[in-house]
Amino acid sequence: MKTQKTKVHFTEKYLLQPANPLTVNLIGAGGTGSHVLTALAKVNTSLVALQHPGLFVRVFDEDKVTAANRGRQLFADAEIGLPKAVALINRINRFFGTNWKAITMEFNKANSENLQDYKAHITISCVDKVRPRFDIAAILKQQHKNNSYYRDNACYWMDFGNSRHTGQVVLATIGKIEQPASKKFITIDSLPLPTEEFKDLFEAAKEDNTPSCSLAEALTRQDLFINASLADLGGSLLWQLLSEGVIENRGFFLNLRDFRTQPLKVA
C-alpha cells in the first residue's frame, strides 16, 4: 500500500538564521492584540535563548484605553486614557528589556505612503472589522512587489479573528516562499491570503461598530477568554514556524463554547 506524503510548508530560510532581529508588525492592540503581544515577548525571549537574534515588534493602534477595556483586555485602571499601543509597549519593554515601538497610526490605505518605512517580515493582524483586512492585504501585496534582497521583506501574514465564542487564526505567505527539495514531503510554497480564501465570508459578515460603555456590555459580545485562547494557540503556531522551520498546519478554528479546535492543514 502506497503511503500518501504529508503536505508541509518550510519556513523562509532567512527567518531561521537572520543577521538581525526579525521585524514584526502587530496591527491592533485590543482584546486579542494585547494578548498576542505578550505571546510575542515569550517567543522573542525563547528565540534569543536558542542563539537566534529574536524579534523587533511594532504595535499599530490609534485607539485609547477605556474603562470597558479592563478585564478582557490587558489594561489597568491607571492606563485609562493612554494610547493602547503606548501602554502595552511601555509595559513589555520594562518587563522584558526590549526596545519595541508603538505606532499610534492606523494601518490602512490612507496611510500607505507613511507605511513604506514600516515594512516587516511578519505581519500579524488582530482587527475586529472587515475593511482593515482588505487594506492590509493590499498594502502587503504592494510591499511584496517592491521586495528587495535586503532586510524586512514581507514574508508572512497571520490573521486573528473571532466572534463571541469562536475564532480562527490563518497564516498566509506574501507571495511564494522557496522550498527545499524533499522526498519525504510534498512542499507547498504558497499559503493563501485569508482575504482571498474567505473573501465571501468576510464580505457577508455583519459588523457592530458601536463601542462598549462597560466591561459587562463588552462581555456580551466577546467571551472573557476567547482572545487569550486564540493568542496562545496562534503564538504556538508562530513558535513552530520559527523554531522548527516546518509546519503541517497553517492555522486553526476554535470553538471555546465546546472546547474544540480544528486545524487548518497546509494544502
Side-chain angles (χ1 to χ4, degrees), residues 9-261:
H9 172 78
F10 285 93
T11 308
E12 160 61 47
K13 59 184 179 181
Y14 177 78
L15 273 60
L16 301 177
Q17 294 182 315
N20 300 284
L22 300 179
T23 50
V24 178
N25 283 343
L26 174 59
I27 304 169
T32 301
S34 58
H35 291 281
V36 170
L37 183 61
T38 301
L40 289 173
K42 294 177 181 178
V43 170
N44 173 67
T45 301
S46 301
L47 286 174
V48 170
L50 297 176
Q51 307 304 312
H52 185 286
L55 308 177
F56 171 74
V57 179
R58 307 184 192 98
V59 178
F60 291 80
D61 199 308
E62 62 176 5
D63 290 343
K64 293 184 178 181
V65 181
T66 67
N69 297 146
R70 297 169 303 162
R72 192 172 58 82
Q73 301 180 22
L74 291 177
F75 295 108
D77 290 350
E79 294 170 327
I80 293 176
L82 292 176
K84 289 182 177 180
V86 172
L88 289 174
I89 284 294
N90 284 345
R91 192 190 315 157
I92 289 292
N93 285 342
R94 287 196 299 269
F95 190 92
F96 289 95
T98 49
N99 188 31
W100 295 355
K101 303 298 181 184
I103 312 295
T104 54
M105 173 177 64
E106 192 172 353
F107 197 100
N108 58 18
K109 285 185 178 179
N111 294 321
S112 58
E113 288 190 12
N114 295 328
L115 293 172
Q116 292 302 312
D117 295 328
Y118 298 112
K119 294 180 180 179
H121 298 110
I122 302 170
T123 296
I124 301 176
S125 54
C126 302
V127 296
D128 54 6
K129 299 181 180 65
V130 172
R131 181 191 58 79
R133 286 186 170 90
F134 287 97
D135 277 10
I136 292 167
I139 292 169
L140 292 179
K141 285 181 180 178
Q142 185 59 46
Q143 289 181 349
H144 177 71
K145 188 182 297 184
N146 298 333
N147 269 357
S148 65
Y149 289 101
Y150 299 99
R151 59 179 299 189
D152 299 345
N153 287 345
C155 298
Y156 294 99
W157 174 21
M158 180 179 282
D159 180 59
F160 287 73
N162 70 280
S163 57
R164 184 176 182 183
H165 298 291
T166 63
Q168 73 286 330
V169 174
V170 180
L171 178 68
T173 58
I174 313 302
K176 294 182 178 181
I177 304 296
E178 183 180 353
Q179 300 289 288
S182 176
K183 294 182 179 180
K184 184 178 179 180
F185 301 107
I186 298 174
T187 58
I188 305 298
D189 61 6
S190 182
L191 308 178
L193 297 176
T195 49
E196 296 176 357
E197 185 176 16
F198 304 111
K199 181 179 179 182
D200 293 341
L201 291 176
F202 281 147
E203 292 180 339
K206 294 181 180 179
E207 296 180 354
D208 182 1
N209 298 326
T210 305
S212 301
C213 297
S214 67
L215 175 58
E217 183 181 347
L219 290 172
T220 65
R221 300 179 183 179
Q222 295 189 45
D223 187 66
L224 180 59
F225 289 105
I226 184 65
N227 305 111
S229 299
L230 284 171
D232 282 344
L233 289 169
S236 181
L237 175 59
L238 181 64
W239 170 246
Q240 187 178 108
L241 181 76
L242 297 179
S243 65
E244 299 182 16
V246 61
I247 55 173
E248 295 182 27
N249 301 301
R250 58 188 176 94
F252 59 88
F253 297 94
L254 172 67
N255 186 323
L256 199 57
R257 170 73 79 180
D258 298 330
F259 302 104
R260 287 186 291 110
T261 304

